[in-house]
Amino acid sequence: MPFIDEWLVPTLSTLVPDDQIAKLRRDSDGASSVWESVVDRRMATNDQVLQALATRFRIPIADLTQIDHRITEAVPEQVARKFNIVPLRSTDSYLEIATANPFDIDAEKTLAFVTGREVRLQLGPPERIREKLEELYRPEDMVSKLVAGVTSEHMASALVEDQDQYTPSAEAASQRPIIKLVDTMIGDGITSRASDIHVEPAEGGLVVRYRIDGVLRQVMKMPRSAGLPLVSRIKIMSGMDIADRLRPQDGRCRVSMNGSPVDLRVSTLPASHGEKVVIRILNTKSTVLSLDALGLQEDDRAIMKKLLLHKEGIILVTGPTGSGKTTTLYASLRQVQSEGVNIVTVEDPVEYRLGANIVQVQTNEKAGLTFASALRSILRQDPDVVLIGEIRDKETAQIAVQASLTGHLVLSTLHTNDAPSAIARLLELGVAPYLLNATLNGVMAQRLVRTLCPHCKQTVELNRAEDQSAWDALVAPWKSKHPAKLYKPVGCLECRMTGFMGRVGIYETLMFSTQLKSMVSAGADLVALREQAFKEGMKPLRISGAMKVGAGLTTIDEVLKVAPPVRDSVR
């Protein structure tokens, strides 16, 4: 009887004796694969078969470990399964696939018709292709297989309807498949450049999402039988109480990734379907800690360095959560750090360990160590520079002012929309105008925008009316010339088909000038303060973003998403 892959026999004859192939043919039922039969009976290995095919037909061998899971959107599951192929990567012009039969003309024609792309073939073993198909199109089934080592008793417990009655044991959370699942999830998150990993309870299971470049993307769904012990395993790693599922908890742990330590900050929150877990990845190696590498424009960088030359006063960095304020503060500390400078920080939490000559204090409200109480103690430690994680109440603001008045340089953050609003916020917190004028040196507002992937970004035609309209909306009411080139995101394997890779800051830097101080003393409102700041040369966030757009680093839409409009001012 012939094999279903009869075309392969001449090539296999260089690896397997003819009598062995004849014996396999006699056993064939007409639906057998000679490739799989040879490998199953250990007459040859998959690698040997692949190498022989690649040499004879000059077809490359596929790397099945490098597959972007989002490519499933381009190739329907039924087509991939029908022809037993795995899509590897896709561009606007071609689709690369792994196949065990490079001479299947029907498969090539169908894929070209369905995707509208040229099909490029690579070789892969049939069994590995089937495994990859399950991983791509049925990830929840793969998770179920991964946790197949969990005991039957545990599986039965997962069926209890009132899940509050079910508490996974430490033994269940220490099962080898669960450990492997957690390690794989964290490792994949780190290599994917994720800043956070979200494990969220859902109806009937758990969903895992990564926040990459500020955007959440779902990467995995798993059954509840795997999800509950997975959460318990994470809690064990970070030193939490796995029996307490009714209260929020916080913890920390350190993992090793390719020999490099990576700190994780873990938070749990009880929800209706179970516990939500967020793992913050604190990868010091991927964090920029120098002012020159933050993406500041030349004039903003010069202003910030000038502010840091002061021996006393307050410097503020403002913006919403996740806008990179802590990284800017740490970079500022690096600027003033030296053996002769005593630097102390008080933070909640301490995100990165800054090393020698910088003492970092973690607040602990349960123990009575608040920002205010820690600051009182720090001021008795003879500091030169004090970093306060956040000024969030009247007491902390007043102590910061007192510290700056007594000869200390104070760096801190506030939550405001722009730089001039920080002045109004401090006045609202009860800082007297004369004290504010005596202590505040300057304010930097910032946001983070996604940067275009350098491997796949494409030039946009500039004659479209919508491009000019979008540019005018970005720079209004400023008058700024349209750049010579604009770029758009495309998507490739390097950026996981998103079109973006990494983030860069846009900034608004305010020097607290004599004129502004006079206006504060006179009781001027925020509109007047902002207008004066613009007159003195402060560039708003959107103009900083427009410069990044003109440099080809990002897009207009990305800047418009994060930068507030320039309000109450005309330029």
Side-chain angles (χ1 to χ4, degrees), residues 366-387:
K366 292 181 180 178
L369 186 63
T370 62
F371 275 110
S373 61
L375 278 171
R376 291 192 188 95
S377 299
I378 286 171
L379 294 180
R380 294 193 288 269
Q381 295 284 316
D382 186 31
D384 298 301
V385 180
V386 178
L387 185 151

Side-chain angles (χ1 to χ4, degrees), residues 178 181 199 205-206 222-232:
I178 294 298
L181 181 58
V199 181
L206 266 78
M222 64 185 70
R224 186 165 168 268
S225 57
L228 292 176
L230 177 138
V231 171
S232 294

Side-chain angles (χ1 to χ4, degrees), residues 337-549:
Q337 180 182 13
S338 70
E339 188 176 345
V341 179
N342 181 18
I343 301 174
V344 184
T345 78
V346 52
E347 305 169 63
D348 181 25
V350 173
E351 293 200 6
Y352 298 99
R353 312 294 181 183
L354 295 177
N357 301 324
I358 298 179
V359 177
Q360 295 174 269
V361 178
Q362 166 77 57
T363 62
N364 186 343
E365 292 195 7
K366 292 181 180 178
L369 186 63
T370 62
F371 275 110
S373 61
L375 278 171
R376 291 192 188 95
S377 299
I378 286 171
L379 294 180
R380 294 193 288 269
Q381 295 284 316
D382 186 31
D384 298 301
V385 180
V386 178
L387 185 151
I388 306 170
E390 181 185 348
I391 295 178
R392 58 177 67 167
D393 53 43
K394 180 178 180 179
E395 188 178 13
T396 305
Q398 290 177 340
I399 296 175
V401 168
Q402 292 169 8
S404 64
L405 285 172
T406 53
H408 306 90
L409 181 62
V410 178
L411 308 180
S412 190
T413 70
L414 272 179
H415 287 284
T416 62
N417 283 333
D418 56 16
S421 297
I423 299 172
R425 176 62 177 152
L426 288 175
L427 293 172
E428 181 187 334
L429 285 174
V431 178
Y434 72 93
L435 290 176
L436 183 63
N437 291 342
T439 56
L440 185 62
N441 294 335
V443 184
M444 173 180 282
Q446 69 178 74
R447 300 288 191 278
L448 293 178
V449 295
R450 292 189 295 173
T451 52
L452 288 162
C453 174
H455 303 282
C456 64
K457 66 180 182 181
Q458 289 184 358
T459 307
V460 177
E461 294 292 334
L462 300 182
N463 55 4
R464 300 190 309 169
E466 53 264 36
D467 291 331
Q468 185 64 56
S469 176
W471 177 260
D472 290 341
L474 175 63
V475 300
W478 261 247
K479 301 299 181 184
S480 182
K481 186 179 178 181
H482 197 290
K485 288 183 180 180
L486 289 178
Y487 293 88
K488 68 176 181 178
V490 177
C492 63
L493 281 180
E494 296 292 332
C495 61
R496 297 202 166 204
M497 307 306 292
T498 64
F500 296 93
M501 182 182 291
R503 290 189 289 178
V504 69
I506 57 175
Y507 303 92
E508 176 180 281
T509 309
L510 167 69
M511 288 280 285
F512 198 37
S513 65
T514 303
Q515 181 61 37
L516 285 170
K517 292 178 181 179
S518 300
M519 294 176 68
V520 169
S521 298
D525 60 14
L526 180 58
V527 174
L529 294 173
R530 187 182 290 119
E531 186 64 33
Q532 179 62 29
F534 289 143
K535 289 179 181 178
E536 294 180 3
M538 183 187 78
K539 294 185 180 68
L541 287 165
R542 286 198 174 186
I543 296 302
S544 175
M547 292 179 178
K548 298 291 193 298
V549 173

